[in-house]
Amino acid sequence: MKEMDSYGLKLCKFQAELFERSINAAECSSAIFIRRFMLSDLAKRFDAVSVREKSAIRLCKQYLGVDAVHLIDPTLLLIKEDYIDLLHPTAKTENLLVCYILDKTDQKTAIATEIMRSLGYQIQNINIDGNNSRQLSVEEWIDSFHRADFIFTDSFHGCVFSVIFRKPFIVFGNIDRGLSRFDSLLNMFDLKNRMVTSYDDYKNRCHELLMSFNYNQVDSIIACEQKKSLEFLTKYLTEFYKTNNNA
């Protein structure tokens, strides 16, 4: 990244917040577009830009004037053993359905209940609703995915950690938080059939959705994407190191 003063860094942070907001929103106000256009030169000060949503490549080009590379979410650069090393040993609960729901709705509650009954599993809700749940530590949150036998979530990272721990899962497409990140992740791993968008959608495909599936193909894709991401980081961090040490 090219040198910038503290004011430039603040503007850059502001720009990033605006850009993130635009990705998650169905439509953005013209005021945000104008600000983005005025501040897009800040993005050009970076030597390289990567994004986790494929659709963000177009947004970066259109509104920031930079060529971005689509790479996996950084959490996927680690393998499950790296996360397991962070955990404290806990007793394994057999037949455990873990539900991680950010935006609770009647449809999602109904689906969770249906999954529990169909599989005959115990249910553990790890969403924090502010009423009767305590805040989980990072390690406890990760351990929930590690111990789960099946996962139901509406969270992008809930989906990611289901994949990291190779768990069967169903993700409810969270339109309010942006579907592009789900589409990018699931399409990359050929798991688009794991997403439902309504209770009726679940009921129509429940037999297929509750069947176990093989992660062998996903493993191969993850390995390729990890290699691609690490090569990207190595290239630009090496160039940065050489530039700054030769200055």
Side-chain angles (χ1 to χ4, degrees):
M1 181 179 174
K2 300 168 182 63
E3 185 178 354
M4 66 172 68
D5 56 20
S6 60
Y7 177 69
L9 287 171
K10 288 179 181 179
L11 284 177
C12 191
K13 180 181 178 182
F14 176 57
Q15 168 70 11
E17 290 172 350
L18 289 175
F19 186 57
E20 177 71 14
R21 205 177 307 159
S22 74
I23 291 175
N24 294 334
E27 293 183 4
C28 299
S29 69
S30 59
I32 291 177
F33 283 174
I34 292 170
R35 293 191 192 103
R36 185 178 301 110
F37 177 77
M38 294 172 62
L39 298 173
S40 64
D41 65 303
L42 293 170
K44 297 182 179 68
R45 300 188 188 188
F46 287 89
D47 298 306
V49 176
S50 67
V51 292
R52 68 182 181 186
E53 291 95 8
K54 192 172 183 179
S55 61
I57 294 176
R58 176 185 59 80
L59 293 172
C60 282
K61 187 67 173 179
Q62 185 174 355
Y63 300 119
L64 302 182
V66 297
D67 294 315
V69 178
H70 178 211
L71 300 175
I72 55 175
D73 187 81
T75 54
L76 283 160
L77 290 176
L78 299 178
I79 60 175
K80 68 177 181 180
E81 286 76 15
D82 293 319
Y83 290 105
I84 291 173
D85 286 344
L86 301 174
L87 308 179
H88 304 294
T90 55
K92 176 72 170 69
T93 302
E94 297 298 326
N95 300 326
L96 181 63
L97 166 65
V98 166
C99 294
Y100 180 52
I101 302 298
L102 298 177
D103 301 310
K104 190 174 180 180
T105 66
D106 290 341
Q107 289 196 74
K108 293 172 190 176
T109 300
I111 292 173
T113 302
E114 291 270 355
I115 296 172
M116 178 185 66
R117 290 174 177 170
S118 297
L119 295 177
Y121 283 5
Q122 302 178 57
I123 191 168
Q124 178 187 3
N125 291 297
I126 60 172
N127 50 302
I128 305 301
D129 57 21
N131 295 322
N132 55 10
S133 300
R134 69 177 181 85
Q135 182 69 49
L136 296 179
S137 68
V138 172
E139 293 82 2
E140 288 173 323
W141 186 88
I142 294 173
D143 190 48
S144 296
F145 288 87
H146 177 225
R147 293 185 299 105
D149 294 293
F150 200 97
I151 295 163
F152 176 54
T153 185
D154 66 348
S155 155
F156 172 78
H157 279 107
C159 192
V160 167
F161 275 86
S162 298
V163 172
I164 288 173
F165 285 106
R166 309 302 193 263
K167 302 292 184 176
F169 70 95
I170 298 171
V171 58
F172 195 106
N174 198 328
I175 297 174
D176 291 336
R177 294 176 183 263
L179 282 179
S180 62
R181 65 189 68 183
F182 293 98
D183 288 334
S184 289
L185 180 75
L186 297 174
N187 283 330
M188 177 183 288
F189 298 140
D190 195 22
L191 292 174
K192 189 65 184 292
N193 65 330
R194 307 311 302 172
M195 183 164 69
V196 299
T197 55
S198 67
Y199 175 77
D200 288 339
D201 184 17
Y202 167 78
K203 288 295 289 183
N204 290 334
R205 298 191 291 123
C206 60
H207 179 70
E208 166 201 349
L209 288 164
L210 294 177
M211 291 178 62
S212 61
F213 59 94
N214 195 310
Y215 265 104
N216 287 342
Q217 180 181 352
V218 177
D219 289 340
S220 299
I221 296 171
I222 288 178
C224 290
E225 292 299 326
Q226 286 175 332
K227 182 174 183 291
K228 178 181 173 183
S229 295
L230 290 172
E231 286 175 348
F232 174 88
L233 289 170
T234 300
K235 175 184 177 181
Y236 288 103
L237 289 175
T238 300
E239 289 180 3
F240 176 82
Y241 176 81
K242 288 180 178 178
T243 299
N244 284 269
N245 279 270
N246 293 332

